[in-house]
Amino acid sequence: MKDLRIKISGTSGQGIISSGDILSYATARKGYYVTTYRAFPSEIRGDGKCYYTLRISEHKALTATGETDILICLDEDTIYEGIKNMTSNGILIYDKDIVPQLKETRDDIITYAVPLSTIAKELGSERSRNMTALGIIVEILKNLHLEEQILKDIELRYKLKPQAVIDSNKQALNAGIKYAKEKLERKDSYDKAQMASTGAKLIMSGNEAIGLAAIAAGCRFFSGYPITPATEIMEWLAKELPKFGGKMIQCEDEIAAINYALGASYAGVKSMTATSGPGFSLMQEALGLASMAELPVVIADVQRCGPSTGVPTKTEQSDLFAAMYGTHGDCPKIVLAPMNVADCFYQTINAFNFAEKYQVPVIILSDASLGPRRECVDLIDIENLKIVNREKPQLKEGDEYNRYADTPSGISPISAPGDLYGEHVITGLEHTEANAPTPEPDVHRQMTEKRFRKLETAAGQFSKAKTYGDEDASIGIISWGSTSGPVFEAIDKAKENGIKVQALYPRTLYPLPTDWIKGFVKNKEVVIVIEANYNAQFKSTIVERCTHVNRGTEVLEFLKYDGTPFTPEEIYDEIVKVSQMQEEKIALATNKHTHF
């Protein structure tokens, strides 16, 4: 066994997320690679469905989405949803006290009906069914030796709870293990399965990686307002930032949040905020102020389904237009899109470096698939990270300080209040190099060019676009952000079946990465643009501008906007369809030539 997908499902309040988190931490601490996908409803309690998919592997797993090997269901509805996407010989575990008889099943899967409610009630609380189910899994996968670590992780998870809560969860886990040992009539062979442990590693979510990177980059001020699915960044920094002398402020709204961050930046402190689509909309005017006043600031936008309140707990990549073209006027900014949890860390480091060096707002586009997702990350050498700080003016008494000096790079040294001889004021009005407000046309033209010159200077520092697959492939995929895992796995499967595909993933989306895309499409007959939005935002803003370098390249789009992430299987199916289309075109052209 090299790779295993486990899915736990049920409704809100049944402990789906808690049991999934405990299992994921335990497996990571045992040295296995782990990646997860968590989905939960907007309701705290009710009929909303919760899903926790956990992938355990000997190698770095790229995505947790896709087919399921072991499915645990604590309610009836998720049984019939889940079995559709199970692998052949997969295991279904469900509560036979809730579902005495299945309405439908599959002949090619193994089914274990377990009296989870009865076992939990005997221990005093039906609420511990999730831990009883977890115990069944621990015994089924006994060769992974998870029992001791899960008991430790139960203590860590509930350390702020009364001891009785910790004890009851342990008892429920042990009861599940005992039932599986003594009463489960095993029809599977997982008790013989082996998986190699690969040593120490980190496990964190995309949101936690952003918070960790912010501290490592020198951020010492965070202001925010709670909003799903970005709140975890604020909550994590609320606990960790004070340990490094930093401050976290929960504001009354997102307008206040970004303006607090700009105020702290003006005071000389590396600052950031985090939000999702509705809050990002409220920040647009202040983004214009940051651009005009040339104040460094980092904004993490963990996208969700929209518009308006939308579907707060589901994923989309639909804020790209807002990130690239939002706010008013010509507004220089940088937009980054991390591909996975590890990349959330490194792109956040880049975000702070770019913000500080080029004195622009930098937006990190994550989403509800990537932000809450936990993955194993290789150990990070924090001490050797390249950290950039803003350029300070070197002044002496009598020097004239032009805060907005029109330099060849567009970068002008920035002082903070209290810096000797660096006194200045800032304003959202157009201004001269000395920051005197003015409406003069020549000055506005000069300063606009100066502000955008910084982006031209920055372009050479952007992380190169990631490529994956065969360079000589005639089929290309261009995408961005969190779709990378399922896309790369689909490319691997296509290669196994004789189809060559290459993918391109820019990590910088604005300024437009046209050179990368132009170079990529030169030898491609067809390019599929994959993204999670209805309007094909990346395709329409960037890709279609670049395909003129090879007018024979056909540009297709494969879009998803139902709130769920892409799976490798559906991307592979699209690749097969496109490959067949290409073969039919070749055959048609050959037949025409032969007839002639």
Side-chain angles (χ1 to χ4, degrees), residues 43 340 445:
E43 303 88 358
N340 50 44
R445 183 182 66 251

Side-chain angles (χ1 to χ4, degrees), residues 64-244:
T65 61
E67 294 181 326
T68 305
D69 298 305
I70 300 177
L71 174 65
I72 307 104
C73 298
L74 298 187
D75 78 325
E76 183 170 10
D77 290 345
T78 58
I79 295 174
Y80 310 121
E81 294 173 11
I83 60 175
K84 297 174 184 176
N85 295 312
M86 289 185 67
T87 55
S88 182
N89 294 317
I91 298 174
L92 167 64
I93 302 167
Y94 69 94
D95 189 345
K96 73 175 182 181
D97 294 326
I98 303 295
V99 188
Q101 183 67 42
L102 289 176
K103 296 175 185 176
E104 60 180 272
T105 185
R106 281 172 47 182
D107 294 335
D108 63 338
I109 65 172
I110 298 164
T111 300
Y112 293 136
V114 180
L116 296 173
S117 296
T118 299
I119 297 170
K121 284 177 183 177
E122 288 174 354
L123 296 172
S125 175
E126 190 176 348
R127 293 182 62 186
S128 60
R129 283 192 311 146
N130 62 327
M131 286 299 156
T132 304
L134 199 55
I136 303 291
I137 291 298
V138 168
E139 178 59 23
I140 286 176
L141 301 175
K142 63 181 181 181
N143 278 350
L144 297 187
H145 308 292
L146 297 172
E147 179 179 351
E148 183 179 347
Q149 187 60 58
I150 286 181
L151 289 169
K152 291 178 181 178
D153 276 280
I154 287 173
E155 291 189 1
L156 289 171
R157 177 83 181 188
Y158 300 114
K159 64 182 178 181
L160 299 180
K161 300 284 187 180
Q163 186 62 39
V165 173
I166 297 173
D167 292 341
S168 66
N169 278 281
K170 286 183 174 181
Q171 289 167 6
L173 181 85
N174 287 326
I177 293 172
K178 182 180 179 182
Y179 181 91
K181 281 181 179 178
E182 298 176 358
K183 298 182 179 180
L184 199 66
E185 297 181 7
R186 297 288 295 272
K187 295 171 278 187
D188 65 272
S189 57
Y190 279 105
D191 57 335
K192 300 179 181 66
Q194 299 284 342
M195 185 179 291
S197 173
T198 52
K201 51 186 68 68
L202 303 172
I203 182 169
M204 65 181 80
S205 69
N207 287 334
E208 290 169 339
I210 289 173
L212 176 63
I215 291 176
C219 175
R220 294 299 178 263
F221 183 85
F222 178 94
S223 49
Y225 181 79
I227 183 169
T228 302
T231 305
E232 187 182 32
I233 299 173
M234 183 174 73
E235 291 174 339
W236 195 89
L237 286 171
K239 292 186 293 184
E240 303 299 332
L241 201 51
K243 300 175 184 177
F244 297 87

Side-chain angles (χ1 to χ4, degrees), residues 350-405:
N350 286 339
F352 276 95
N353 286 348
F354 293 151
E356 293 294 311
K357 183 170 184 177
Y358 302 109
Q359 300 169 30
V360 293
V362 180
I363 299 159
I364 303 166
L365 280 182
S366 178
D367 58 50
S369 167
L370 177 55
R373 179 200 308 172
R374 286 199 169 90
E375 289 180 3
C376 282
V377 175
D378 291 336
L379 300 180
I380 298 169
D381 186 0
I382 299 264
E383 298 299 321
N384 290 313
L385 292 171
K386 181 182 178 182
I387 304 300
V388 174
N389 296 309
R390 62 188 68 180
E391 181 182 352
K392 292 277 192 175
Q394 303 299 314
L395 301 169
K396 58 183 183 296
E397 189 174 3
D399 285 349
E400 180 182 2
Y401 175 46
N402 288 332
R403 164 64 187 96
Y404 299 106

Side-chain angles (χ1 to χ4, degrees), residues 485-501:
V487 166
F488 292 173
E489 290 206 357
I491 289 175
D492 289 341
K493 185 175 180 180
K495 186 173 183 177
E496 291 173 3
N497 290 279
I499 305 172
K500 289 185 177 183
V501 186

Side-chain angles (χ1 to χ4, degrees), residues 474 521-527 546-556 582 585:
S474 62
V521 302
K522 277 185 178 179
N523 67 336
K524 301 291 183 288
E525 295 176 7
V526 60
V527 168
C546 304
T547 53
H548 67 275
V549 298
N550 185 4
R551 296 189 183 278
T553 301
E554 184 179 8
V555 181
L556 307 174
Q582 292 302 105
K585 286 181 181 179

